[in-house]
Amino acid sequence: MSASLNAGRRIGVAVVAFAIALGAYPAPALPRETVAQTDPFGPFEQVRRQAHAYCVGYLQSGDAPTYLKCLQQFAVYYCSSFSNDFLAYQWCTAAASTPYPAPGQRALTVRSYRVEVSGGWHRERDPGSGAILSERPISPSLAYTLERQSNGLYLATIYEISTGQVSGQRWVNDRCEITNSEGQPILDWIPCPIFPNKPYLVTLLPPPNPNFAPSPMIFIPGRLADDFDEDGVVEIGYLYTSGSGGREFTSGSVTATGYDPDTQALKFQYMRSVRESNNPYTTYDVERLYRLRGQSSP
């Protein structure tokens, strides 16, 4: 946790892709999911397993950055055989470059957890100057619950922030990892109610079209030097950034999950997404902060 993560302000952009429990903007809400879930890459999950087996030695030795680079290199060489089939190639590349959750210690120790949105705000900014054009508060609501079941796993129930309706359920183990129907970890549960203390977290960004593969999102730990929740405290947490630039448009996003540095309890999730282009209808700078409050029962 020695590095300060302040990329959000430095690149001047920051997050649409909120994590699993809290939905997204301006993308549509995630589809309803059941506990009988399958591996996220379908038949290409085997490619993901092969890449992991090839590179896992780095992860086991404590070198997570080299493990992640190894997966990228494996994807380049292995998936070249699919280069004549665009869809197969992008599914193969996405699967091979998506890590499995890093080894972690038990984070969930009690019978049940309840994470609520206690407030926050939604802002729209001028993409050029960053000046706030509009702001509205986010009302309190329930984000998700975790209930331990007889099989030792937690049943996560996810709620739509805007409607309060159940949007899906997942199996989660006590290391805050989403499992498949066989109990094998496939992704990290984000945001975990307790700081997970891992070298990275991995989740997926749903594709705009079901024919396309989901994109991996790798969150890096550190001290969140940017005061995303504007309370004057430097939290510990995880940060994901992305960005692109070109002649027609420039875009970028940031997602930050913050935890209290003393109690390691979940505090907030922040996201901002910016897109500048020659078309005013596809130019935006949107920003959200969800203040989060967790409760637990023994």
Side-chain angles (χ1 to χ4, degrees), residues 32-270:
R32 179 179 297 272
E33 299 185 39
T34 67
V35 294
Q37 60 211 44
T38 59
D39 293 329
F41 293 100
F44 283 94
E45 192 71 24
Q46 182 60 38
V47 175
R48 187 182 177 199
R49 295 189 186 103
Q50 288 180 262
H52 175 74
Y54 181 79
C55 301
V56 70
Y58 296 111
L59 187 59
Q60 292 172 339
S61 66
D63 190 352
T66 302
Y67 165 71
L68 297 174
K69 291 178 183 177
C70 179
L71 295 180
Q72 296 287 341
Q73 294 170 349
F74 182 95
V76 170
Y77 291 106
Y78 184 89
C79 298
S80 61
S81 61
F82 294 96
S83 58
N84 292 328
D85 185 332
F86 172 75
L87 285 178
Y89 178 76
Q90 60 98 15
W91 273 95
C92 178
T93 301
S97 59
T98 299
Y100 281 103
Q105 307 216 345
R106 187 182 183 198
L108 305 177
T109 58
V110 300
R111 177 180 55 83
S112 66
Y113 296 85
R114 176 185 176 93
V115 172
E116 301 172 343
V117 176
S118 61
W121 36 254
H122 170 93
R123 291 173 178 168
E124 295 188 21
R125 295 177 178 268
D126 177 79
S129 66
I132 298 175
L133 302 177
S134 66
E135 178 177 331
R136 65 177 184 269
I138 292 175
S139 301
S141 59
L142 178 60
Y144 69 84
T145 60
L146 294 167
E147 297 285 344
R148 189 164 56 204
Q149 306 297 301
S150 59
N151 60 5
L153 297 174
Y154 287 82
L155 179 60
T157 302
I158 310 156
Y159 294 83
E160 287 287 349
I161 297 302
S162 58
T163 66
Q165 300 297 310
V166 173
S167 64
Q169 291 183 308
R170 295 272 196 153
W171 287 121
V172 177
N173 64 21
D174 60 10
R175 296 184 301 279
C176 257
E177 297 163 348
I178 298 172
T179 74
N180 61 15
S181 55
E182 299 176 349
Q184 299 299 312
I186 52 175
L187 298 167
D188 287 293
W189 176 258
I190 304 172
C192 184
I194 308 297
F195 182 67
N197 197 24
K198 287 187 172 190
Y200 65 83
L201 300 179
V202 56
T203 188
L204 295 174
L205 181 64
N209 184 304
N211 291 322
F212 292 91
S215 302
M217 298 175 66
I218 311 300
F219 290 77
I220 304 302
R223 296 174 67 253
L224 300 177
D226 294 332
D227 190 10
F228 292 111
D229 62 342
E230 302 176 349
D231 68 350
V233 176
V234 177
E235 288 86 4
I236 58 174
Y238 287 84
L239 188 75
Y240 166 81
T241 63
S242 68
S244 63
R247 297 180 61 182
E248 299 299 326
F249 69 91
T250 298
S251 65
S253 68
V254 131
T255 302
T257 303
Y259 294 82
D260 186 286
D262 297 321
T263 66
Q264 298 197 333
L266 180 63
K267 283 187 65 178
F268 68 83
Q269 194 156 45
Y270 169 91

Side-chain angles (χ1 to χ4, degrees), residues 269-286:
Q269 194 156 45
Y270 169 91
M271 61 283 288
R272 186 175 173 189
S273 184
V274 178
R275 190 179 193 274
E276 296 183 79
S277 72
N278 295 327
N279 186 342
Y281 295 101
T282 58
T283 296
Y284 55 80
D285 182 345
V286 292

